[in-house]
Amino acid sequence: VIGGKVVAGVMKTGSDFKLERNGNLLGEGRIINVQEKKKDVTEVKEGVECGLLVELSAKVRAGDRIKVL
């Protein structure tokens, strides 16, 4: 599970995304599940903290950015 805050737009279950670190593309994946306050939801909007269960081959580190396609 990846924790973070939605800076812009919306995080939705089933969305494809790109993972970036320091402006470099690390990989692409898919959001399998979205949680808000430890409850499963279908989407989380801008400004809200959330947890994401993702399908991704790269390892995520603090400071990485997820950009939904």
Side-chain angles (χ1 to χ4, degrees):
V1 175
I2 300 169
K5 185 174 187 177
V6 181
V7 177
V10 178
M11 293 287 181
K12 292 183 181 180
T13 300
S15 296
D16 293 324
F17 67 88
K18 291 183 180 184
L19 178 68
E20 293 182 353
R21 182 177 302 145
N22 299 321
N24 298 314
L25 178 65
L26 294 179
E28 296 184 5
R30 179 172 296 222
I31 298 172
I32 303 301
N33 187 33
V34 180
Q35 292 186 342
E36 182 181 348
K37 298 179 184 173
K38 297 187 179 182
K39 293 182 181 178
D40 292 344
V41 295
T42 55
E43 68 178 39
V44 177
K45 297 182 180 181
E46 186 173 325
V48 178
E49 292 187 2
C50 66
L52 303 174
L53 178 61
V54 299
E55 207 173 72
L56 178 69
S57 59
K59 291 191 178 186
V60 179
R61 289 194 216 163
D64 289 351
R65 292 189 172 262
I66 291 177
K67 293 191 176 183
V68 176
L69 304 175

